[in-house]
Amino acid sequence: MSKIESEERLVHVPLGERAYDILIGPGLIGRAGGEISTRIKCRKAAIITDDNVGAIYLDPLMDSLQTDGIEAVSLSLPPGEKTKSFDYLTKVCDVLLEARIERNDAVIALGGGVIGDLTGFAAGIVRRGVRFVQIPTSLLSQVDSSVGGKTGINTRHGKNLVGVFNQPDLVLADTDVLNTLSEREFRAGYAEVVKYGLIDKPDFFAWLERNWRDVFAGGPARIEAIATSCQAKADVVVADERENGRRALLNLGHTFGHALEAATEYDSSRLVHGEGVSIGIALAHRFSNRLNLLGVEDVARVEAHLKAVGLPTSMDEIPGELPSTEFLMEAIGQDKKVKGGKLTFILTRGIGQSFVADDVPASEVFAFLEEMRGV
Amino acid sequence: MSKIESEERLVHVPLGERAYDILIGPGLIGRAGGEISTRIKCRKAAIITDDNVGAIYLDPLMDSLQTDGIEAVSLSLPPGEKTKSFDYLTKVCDVLLEARIERNDAVIALGGGVIGDLTGFAAGIVRRGVRFVQIPTSLLSQVDSSVGGKTGINTRHGKNLVGVFNQPDLVLADTDVLNTLSEREFRAGYAEVVKYGLIDKPDFFAWLERNWRDVFAGGPARIEAIATSCQAKADVVVADERENGRRALLNLGHTFGHALEAATEYDSSRLVHGEGVSIGIALAHRFSNRLNLLGVEDVARVEAHLKAVGLPTSMDEIPGELPSTEFLMEAIGQDKKVKGGKLTFILTRGIGQSFVADDVPASEVFAFLEEMRGV
């Protein structure tokens, strides 16, 4: 017991009235009722989960809430990106209203990024905002969507194009849960961990190069990597909550990544988000090299680390045919990171030296993509 | 021309980063392009309107935008409360994304409260927020929804139960438009004007008692009444933007009013929002009298003024059968103004002496409603 507590880490996200804590460590789902009730004086909660995660963790979570006097209802949705739709948003809102969740009651997202994004959006719009607790159950959601308050759904025009900024009131990142992830899913989340090093933490990237095996194995190194990632994201978000400037750095690898996800029709058998980000990170470094911003040795170092952990680094690793480069450009153009018709990209001058480039010519991007595809 | 400008009023809503101006006066739609382009550096705009309003004002607005170099698309929706639905929200978001409205482009709501609430919600969630301009075309929307940033849609559980707080970037209240409103619609909006006097401005209520004929006739008295109402609402909203306390005062007459709207299934041939508010205001005063908070002479004075302008003050003026008192209580219970299971009502100790009562027993409300219905 004392061991468990000593391993636990707390990252505070200081956003004024919207400040909140992220607890990171083992066994948190079993203690969720206590952690929630001491911080949020709610009498009711609604848990939104997916069928995979819910099958394992819904009962223990319900038990814990009940033990601490919180009456809870639950809704389990199909797993997968297609659940982030207007239809399911409508469904979740309906269930929350049916359960008479009030402004001070809690909506709990128990799941990965899909459940977190959808549930956070619903919690932000039902009664124009009720309490929101995240229990992220994938590495990706623990290091990415648990910080920053971005919520949303997908439309036929692209991913996350509709949503709100809604900071959670509490995040419980139970690291035991990660032991049941598939290797592929864990790896995909790891791409976001690497990203934080490459944005502005060269020492963390070097630490990951040395310690990634321990991070994959679990234990203190994993908790350390998650806490460092959450802290890194929190630092960026606190400086720029509404994404007017610096926050765009978090999109390193994501402009290309999102286009590739669109190109594979969000089919997770071909590409999951983190794999798209991994390829996107590699492409962002190669593109920066092409623009004479970055030496080829840094490109090689980044690719070597991604490959070492088993992540893809080029488009030809994606199974099946990709659509035309025109399609990819279209997907990039519709990306939220468009401003005044110019393309915004995150480029880099070295390991951990990323920056926001506001006016990358579309023609350069097109030529680069053609080259990368060997067209 | 100088006459027009001398009549125009400006109400500034000082909400820090979200501060904005409300311009009130004649001819503003014809000058919208200039007013928008000097304040918001947008290249594109999307106008959302309804078929009634659009038939008259869409062309002049499009012309004005074009003259000032703003490229605009438009979408016209069926008029009426049923348009405030998830289905139309989805539709509006789709049109905004299809038109590639970016974060610094403007979404313009041209219409009454339904269009304003729906469009403001869509503008708040597309790309997690784009610029939002309101051109309210009813008295109700000029004095109510143009201030405060509440947006939303209805669900089968009740009105406005899903939405966001989204302050507009600019409001253009063109008072010429009000000349084309039906008498019934103008009167309904006037109920909200009266409300501001009854919340905390007894002098304004007395001014209305003396000048209501001029307000209904148009001209300077009308502009004065609208500006005073906007200023009154702005004062309350600035003190409590997210409705944690004082802002609830704006719900004077609305808890009963919303229940009556639900009871008539939002059928505007039986009851429109402002009429529900008028009856709700009368009931709030009678209920306060029943609780020995308010003298019967003040109840009579409020009812006399509402009746003088032709507004309803009792439930038996609503055409058709009303459902059971149990139904009304259910509708009141689902209202957003519920906290911890207790009923919150806005009560009053006199003309312009309203206050928030947090723990009104449901049994008192039930007995009062039964009595009012003559059951």
Side-chain angles (χ1 to χ4, degrees):
Chain A
M1 194 65 184
S2 64
K3 177 123 195 318
I4 286 176
E5 281 170 8
S6 71
E7 278 186 2
E8 191 169 298
R9 293 278 298 269
L10 185 151
V11 174
H12 180 69
V13 186
L15 284 167
E17 284 184 357
R18 294 178 298 285
Y20 64 95
D21 289 335
I22 304 171
L23 301 183
I24 304 155
L28 279 164
I29 288 180
R31 288 181 285 130
E35 299 293 353
I36 293 170
S37 63
T38 55
R39 287 174 168 83
I40 302 169
K41 312 269 169 271
C42 65
R43 305 178 320 140
K44 270 192 210 173
I47 304 164
I48 313 298
T49 189
D50 72 39
D51 298 339
N52 293 344
V53 173
I56 312 176
Y57 300 108
L58 186 55
D59 284 348
L61 178 58
M62 294 282 275
D63 289 349
S64 175
L65 293 174
Q66 195 170 25
T67 302
D68 284 275
I70 302 171
E71 179 194 334
V73 298
S74 69
L75 172 69
S76 184
L77 302 174
E81 195 71 32
K82 291 198 199 315
T83 299
K84 278 173 65 173
S85 67
F86 260 116
D87 284 349
Y88 281 108
L89 179 71
T90 306
K91 170 82 179 162
V92 172
C93 289
D94 193 59
V95 165
L96 299 181
L97 290 169
E98 185 73 39
R100 300 214 162 195
I101 293 295
E102 299 175 13
R103 287 197 186 158
N104 292 318
D105 294 330
V107 175
I108 302 174
L110 173 68
V114 167
I115 289 297
D117 287 359
L118 177 71
T119 306
F121 190 8
I125 62 177
V126 161
R127 299 178 193 277
R128 298 195 188 93
V130 299
R131 299 300 194 99
F132 174 40
V133 175
Q134 275 193 295
I135 305 184
T137 59
S138 65
L139 178 58
L140 177 62
S141 57
Q142 291 191 354
V143 300
D144 182 30
S145 34
S146 65
V147 193
K150 280 194 180 179
T151 71
I153 56 174
N154 307 325
T155 78
R156 66 187 177 92
H157 300 286
K159 280 188 73 172
N160 299 319
L161 288 174
V162 177
V164 291
F165 286 94
N166 183 24
Q167 304 296 341
D169 294 277
L170 176 66
V171 178
L172 303 176
D174 187 332
T175 51
D176 282 344
V177 170
L178 305 181
N179 297 327
T180 57
L181 291 184
S182 72
E183 181 84 0
R184 184 183 176 202
E185 201 177 352
F186 189 87
R187 257 200 313 258
Y190 185 80
E192 297 278 355
V193 175
V194 172
K195 185 189 76 174
Y196 295 114
L198 294 174
I199 289 174
D200 61 357
K201 296 203 161 24
D203 292 350
F204 181 49
F205 182 73
W207 183 88
L208 290 170
E209 287 180 309
R210 293 192 305 276
N211 295 287
W212 67 268
R213 285 176 192 81
D214 292 339
V215 174
F216 275 68
R222 179 182 286 178
I223 294 174
E224 176 68 24
I226 295 170
T228 302
S229 297
C230 289
Q231 187 65 59
K233 182 158 183 184
D235 292 346
V236 174
V237 169
V238 166
D240 177 23
E241 189 180 355
R242 302 300 292 250
E243 194 166 17
N244 297 309
R246 186 171 166 74
R247 183 164 175 167
L249 288 174
L250 297 172
N251 290 320
L252 175 63
H254 281 62
T255 304
F256 286 126
H258 282 164
L260 293 172
E261 285 184 273
T264 51
E265 295 171 304
Y266 307 104
D267 175 352
S268 61
S269 72
R270 297 177 67 194
L271 190 77
V272 295
H273 176 70
E275 291 164 348
V277 169
S278 180
I279 298 174
I281 287 173
L283 290 177
H285 282 74
R286 276 185 235 165
F287 188 49
S288 297
N289 170 254
R290 191 180 204 267
L291 298 173
N292 295 314
L293 293 165
L294 177 78
V296 71
E297 64 288 353
D298 281 341
V299 178
R301 192 177 152 197
V302 169
E303 291 189 348
H305 183 56
L306 294 170
K307 283 177 182 166
V309 306
L311 280 165
T313 58
S314 72
M315 288 185 278
D316 57 23
E317 293 176 68
I318 301 170
E321 283 279 307
L322 285 181
S324 67
T325 303
E326 283 78 8
F327 178 98
L328 294 176
M329 291 301 294
E330 175 80 4
I332 286 170
Q334 183 55 268
D335 195 271
K336 283 189 306 302
K337 291 166 281 294
V338 173
K339 256 199 178 172
K342 288 172 189 166
L343 295 183
T344 298
F345 266 81
I346 312 306
L347 300 176
T348 179
R349 296 192 177 88
I351 303 290
Q353 297 179 51
S354 296
F355 65 99
V356 183
D358 266 336
D359 48 2
V360 177
S363 58
E364 284 278 353
V365 180
F366 186 88
F368 171 71
L369 285 173
E370 291 269 283
E371 191 183 306
M372 286 299 109
R373 306 178 66 185
V375 173
Chain B
M1 193 64 183
S2 62
K3 176 116 195 326
I4 286 176
E5 282 170 9
S6 71
E7 278 186 3
E8 191 169 297
R9 292 279 298 269
L10 186 152
V11 174
H12 180 69
V13 186
L15 284 167
E17 285 184 356
R18 294 178 300 283
Y20 65 95
D21 288 336
I22 305 171
L23 300 183
I24 304 155
L28 279 164
I29 287 180
R31 288 180 285 128
E35 299 294 352
I36 292 171
S37 63
T38 56
R39 287 174 168 83
I40 301 170
K41 312 271 169 270
C42 65
R43 305 179 320 140
K44 271 193 209 172
I47 305 164
I48 312 299
T49 189
D50 73 39
D51 298 340
N52 293 343
V53 172
I56 313 176
Y57 300 108
L58 186 56
D59 284 348
L61 177 58
M62 294 283 274
D63 288 349
S64 175
L65 294 174
Q66 193 170 27
T67 302
D68 284 275
I70 302 171
E71 180 194 333
V73 298
S74 70
L75 171 69
S76 185
L77 302 173
E81 195 71 33
K82 291 198 198 319
T83 299
K84 278 175 64 174
S85 67
F86 259 117
D87 284 349
Y88 281 108
L89 179 71
T90 306
K91 170 82 178 163
V92 172
C93 289
D94 193 59
V95 165
L96 299 181
L97 290 169
E98 184 74 38
R100 302 216 161 193
I101 293 295
E102 299 175 13
R103 287 196 184 158
N104 291 317
D105 294 330
V107 175
I108 303 173
L110 174 67
V114 167
I115 289 298
D117 287 359
L118 177 71
T119 306
F121 189 9
I125 63 177
V126 161
R127 299 177 194 278
R128 299 196 188 93
V130 299
R131 299 299 194 97
F132 174 41
V133 175
Q134 274 193 295
I135 306 184
T137 59
S138 66
L139 178 58
L140 176 62
S141 56
Q142 291 190 355
V143 299
D144 182 29
S145 35
S146 66
V147 192
K150 281 194 182 180
T151 72
I153 55 174
N154 306 325
T155 78
R156 66 187 177 90
H157 300 285
K159 279 188 74 172
N160 299 319
L161 288 174
V162 178
V164 291
F165 286 94
N166 183 25
Q167 304 296 342
D169 295 276
L170 176 65
V171 178
L172 303 176
D174 187 333
T175 51
D176 283 345
V177 170
L178 305 181
N179 298 327
T180 58
L181 291 185
S182 71
E183 182 84 359
R184 184 183 175 202
E185 201 177 353
F186 189 86
R187 257 200 314 258
Y190 185 80
E192 297 278 356
V193 175
V194 172
K195 184 190 77 175
Y196 295 114
L198 294 174
I199 288 174
D200 62 356
K201 296 201 162 25
D203 292 350
F204 181 49
F205 182 75
W207 183 88
L208 290 170
E209 287 180 310
R210 293 191 306 274
N211 296 288
W212 68 267
R213 285 175 192 81
D214 292 339
V215 174
F216 274 68
R222 177 182 289 179
I223 294 173
E224 177 68 24
I226 295 170
T228 302
S229 297
C230 288
Q231 187 66 58
K233 182 157 183 185
D235 291 345
V236 174
V237 169
V238 167
D240 177 22
E241 189 180 356
R242 303 301 292 250
E243 194 165 17
N244 297 308
R246 188 171 165 72
R247 182 164 175 166
L249 288 174
L250 297 171
N251 290 321
L252 175 63
H254 281 63
T255 304
F256 286 126
H258 282 164
L260 293 172
E261 285 184 274
T264 50
E265 295 171 304
Y266 307 104
D267 175 353
S268 61
S269 72
R270 296 177 67 194
L271 190 77
V272 295
H273 176 71
E275 291 164 349
V277 169
S278 180
I279 298 173
I281 287 172
L283 290 177
H285 282 73
R286 277 185 235 165
F287 188 50
S288 297
N289 170 255
R290 190 179 204 268
L291 298 173
N292 295 316
L293 293 164
L294 178 78
V296 72
E297 64 287 353
D298 281 340
V299 179
R301 192 176 153 196
V302 169
E303 291 188 349
H305 182 56
L306 294 171
K307 283 178 182 166
V309 307
L311 280 165
T313 58
S314 72
M315 288 185 278
D316 57 24
E317 293 176 67
I318 301 170
E321 284 279 309
L322 285 182
S324 68
T325 303
E326 283 78 8
F327 178 97
L328 294 176
M329 292 300 295
E330 174 80 3
I332 286 170
Q334 183 54 269
D335 195 89
K336 282 189 306 305
K337 291 166 283 291
V338 173
K339 257 200 179 173
K342 289 173 187 168
L343 295 182
T344 297
F345 266 82
I346 313 306
L347 300 176
T348 180
R349 296 191 176 88
I351 303 290
Q353 297 179 51
S354 296
F355 66 99
V356 183
D358 266 336
D359 48 3
V360 176
S363 57
E364 284 279 353
V365 180
F366 187 89
F368 171 71
L369 285 173
E370 292 269 284
E371 190 183 306
M372 286 299 109
R373 304 178 67 186
V375 173

